[in-house]
């Protein structure tokens, strides 16, 4: 622009006389204004194309150009504009991470925000029911199909999955009990009907396996049903009874496996704060102690006492405290808190000498 203005000024001052003088000399080439304009345009073009790529909108670019033109009008030639805001902080060696980057990299900020949300959000977990095997069992007076079902949390790998083994009559009993109590909720849930023949063919067993998976999934999707005693006892009541029977007969290794499976079933179903779960922990502690696995028995007692933290009148509190004190002394753990709580119960009038042991509680506990 400066060259163009200088050329026009020189052209106006020279006038006609200047042209005639240049024409008489004849040796000087005529100035070409197009050359200076071309050079200036080329220089301006390179200036406009310099810089870095940004994701600013077209309106933002126009506003920035207008601000540059307005801001450069009042400046003296040869003086650089003083940096302000973020640029000034950068020159001083300071940088504000919360400041908006020049050009407004919108896409980058959106990707960063989506990444933060994806890392902080947790995928919802569902409980899946999968029939992994079905075997035909023949007894003296009956013949039936036994379905083995795994309870699996979606998105997780279970090293020791929770399993149940049920026959058609067990499912039918559950369906009948739930329909008598939750008639409206059960109206839209299908159940495989009985058949007079061909009950043991591979086709019938496969169809019933898929039907039982859908049946349990539909039941678990209804909050009132999945929290009902009928639904919960279908899964772990048989294991509790079998574990109790094995513990009473001194078969602690077999009982331990059954107690552990009942514990996993209750964890999958989300009923770890119930009385049945405390009884399960008592069974695990007794079997571990009888098998001389004192560290595992101590951990079971600690877990039970955490659940009984706000309960001072639970019948299993005293037996768990006494067992915890004894096991803590055996494994060299801190037992002062349990001793203080036992002292508090004794001062409240609880006769600790008459408290049954955990094993006696297991034997006397009725499992209906």
């Amino acid at each position: 622009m400066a060259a163009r203005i200088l050329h026009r000024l020189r052209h106006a001052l020279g006038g006609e006389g200047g042209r005639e003088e240049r024409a008489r000399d004849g040796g000087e080439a005529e100035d070409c204004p197009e050359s200076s304009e071309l050079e200036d345009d080329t220089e301006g073009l390179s200036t406009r194309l310099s810089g870095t790529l940004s994701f600013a909108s077209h309106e933002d670019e126009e506003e920035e150009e207008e601000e540059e033109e307005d801001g450069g009008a009042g400046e003296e030639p040869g003086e650089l504009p003083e940096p302000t805001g973020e640029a000034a902080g950068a020159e001083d060696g300071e940088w504000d991470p919360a400041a908006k980057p020049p050009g407004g990299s919108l896409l980058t900020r959106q990707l960063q925000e989506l990444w933060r949300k994806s890392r902080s959000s947790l995928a919802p977990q569902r409980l899946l029911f999968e029939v992994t095997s079905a075997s035909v069992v023949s007894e003296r007076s009956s013949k039936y199909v036994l379905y083995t079902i795994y309870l699996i949390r979606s998105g997780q790998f279970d090293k020791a999955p929770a399993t149940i083994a049920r026959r058609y009559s067990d499912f039918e009993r559950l369906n009948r009990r739930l329909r008598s109590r939750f008639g409206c909720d059960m109206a839209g849930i299908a159940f495989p009907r009985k058949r007079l023949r061909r009950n043991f063919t591979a086709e019938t067993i496969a169809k019933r396996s898929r039907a039982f998976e859908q049946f349990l999934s539909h039941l678990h999707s209804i909050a009132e049903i999945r929290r009902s005693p009928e639904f919960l006892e279908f899964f772990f009541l048989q294991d509790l009874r079998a574990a109790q029977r094995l513990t009473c007969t001194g078969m602690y290794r077999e009982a331990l496996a059954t107690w552990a499976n009942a514990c996993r079933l209750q964890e999958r179903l989300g009923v770890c704060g119930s009385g049945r779960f405390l009884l399960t922990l008592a069974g695990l502690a007794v079997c571990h102690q009888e098998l001389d696995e004192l560290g595992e028995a101590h951990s079971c007692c600690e877990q039970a006492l955490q659940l009984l933290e706000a309960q001072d009148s639970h019948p299993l509190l005293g037996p768990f405290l006494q067992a915890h004190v004894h096991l803590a002394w055996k494994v060299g753990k801190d037992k002062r808190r349990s001793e203080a709580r036992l002292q508090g119960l004794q001062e409240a009038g609880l006769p600790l000498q008459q408290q049954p042991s955990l094993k006696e509680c297991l034997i006397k506990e009725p499992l209906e």
Side-chain angles (χ1 to χ4, degrees):
M1 294 299 293
R4 186 183 301 175
I5 295 174
L6 182 61
H7 171 75
R8 290 178 181 177
L9 182 61
R10 186 171 61 247
H11 180 75
L13 292 177
E16 295 295 333
R19 285 196 298 271
E20 292 176 0
E21 183 178 356
R22 286 194 299 273
R24 286 194 303 268
D25 293 338
E28 295 181 4
E30 183 179 357
D31 290 340
C32 182
E34 289 82 0
S35 62
S36 63
E37 291 181 3
L38 181 60
E39 291 175 0
D40 185 57
D41 285 346
T42 306
E43 183 181 355
L45 182 63
S46 62
T47 304
R48 287 194 297 271
L49 290 180
S50 64
T52 57
L53 181 64
S54 68
F55 293 96
S57 62
H58 183 65
E59 291 80 8
D60 295 339
E61 293 176 356
E62 292 180 352
E63 292 178 359
E64 291 175 1
E65 291 177 0
E66 292 175 1
E67 291 176 357
E68 291 174 359
E69 293 176 0
D70 295 341
E75 294 175 358
E76 293 294 331
E79 293 182 2
L80 295 176
E82 295 182 2
T84 60
E86 190 176 339
E91 289 186 0
D92 296 337
E94 298 177 359
W95 178 70
D96 183 10
K100 182 178 179 180
S105 55
L106 180 61
L107 181 59
T108 304
R109 291 197 303 272
Q110 288 178 344
L111 291 175
Q112 291 175 350
E113 186 66 23
L114 288 174
W115 173 251
R116 283 192 295 266
K117 289 182 178 180
S118 65
R119 293 191 66 182
S120 60
S121 60
L122 297 177
Q125 295 184 357
R126 295 190 303 113
L127 189 62
L128 306 178
F129 304 91
E130 181 179 351
V131 178
T132 57
S133 64
S135 57
V136 179
V137 179
S138 297
E139 296 180 348
R140 294 180 179 179
S141 58
S142 64
K143 183 179 180 181
Y144 57 89
V145 179
L146 192 64
Y147 300 88
T148 302
I149 304 171
Y150 276 32
L151 278 69
I152 306 171
R153 288 174 180 165
S154 62
Q156 291 188 356
F157 173 74
D158 292 328
K159 295 182 179 179
T163 64
I164 59 173
R166 301 292 183 266
R167 51 191 294 184
Y168 181 89
S169 58
D170 298 323
F171 285 98
E172 186 183 28
R173 187 181 307 107
L174 173 64
N175 178 60
R176 186 172 60 251
R177 295 178 64 187
L178 291 177
R179 289 187 186 278
S180 62
R181 183 177 175 184
F182 305 99
C184 296
D185 294 326
M186 294 291 296
I189 299 179
F191 185 79
R193 295 178 297 177
K194 280 186 176 182
R195 303 187 61 172
L196 297 178
R197 56 191 182 89
R198 299 178 59 85
N199 288 302
F200 304 105
T201 61
E203 182 182 2
T204 301
I205 294 174
K207 288 182 178 179
R208 284 187 173 177
S209 298
R210 303 289 82 79
F212 288 147
E213 291 176 352
Q214 296 176 5
F215 176 69
L216 294 177
S217 298
H218 289 171
L219 295 180
H220 189 263
S221 65
I222 303 174
E224 292 79 6
I225 293 180
R226 70 168 173 263
R227 290 195 294 260
S228 65
E230 294 84 359
F231 181 76
L232 297 174
E233 291 173 357
F234 169 81
F235 288 95
F236 54 80
L237 185 58
Q238 291 188 18
D239 279 11
L240 292 180
R241 289 172 176 168
Q244 185 186 44
R245 184 169 55 253
L246 292 171
T247 305
C248 294
T249 56
M251 302 176 67
Y252 299 112
R253 182 62 64 184
E254 294 80 1
L256 181 61
T258 311
W259 286 119
N261 187 63
C263 182
R264 290 191 294 268
L265 287 170
Q266 294 174 80
E267 288 175 348
R268 302 295 187 278
L269 295 169
V271 288
C272 295
S274 64
R276 295 286 173 83
F277 189 72
L278 288 171
L279 187 67
T280 305
L281 291 176
L284 289 171
V286 168
C287 291
H288 280 303
Q289 186 175 3
E290 294 293 338
L291 294 172
D292 203 24
E293 299 170 353
L294 303 183
E296 290 80 357
H298 177 265
S299 300
C300 293
C301 291
E302 279 197 337
Q303 185 178 358
L305 291 177
Q306 289 176 1
L307 296 175
L308 294 170
E309 187 69 30
Q311 303 183 40
D312 292 333
S313 59
H314 197 279
L316 288 176
L317 178 59
F320 267 118
L321 285 172
Q322 291 178 337
H324 184 262
V325 170
H326 176 72
L327 291 169
W329 177 76
K330 286 279 189 179
V331 298
K333 298 289 185 179
D334 187 13
K335 61 183 189 309
R336 290 173 294 180
R337 187 174 181 181
S338 296
E339 289 176 338
R341 197 169 182 187
L342 273 174
Q343 184 66 27
L345 293 177
Q346 190 172 10
E347 293 175 356
L350 182 66
L352 297 179
Q353 293 77 12
Q354 301 178 7
Q355 288 288 304
S357 64
L358 282 180
K359 187 175 181 181
E360 292 173 346
C361 291
L362 290 177
I363 297 174
K364 296 178 180 179
E365 180 69 20
L367 291 174
E368 300 296 337

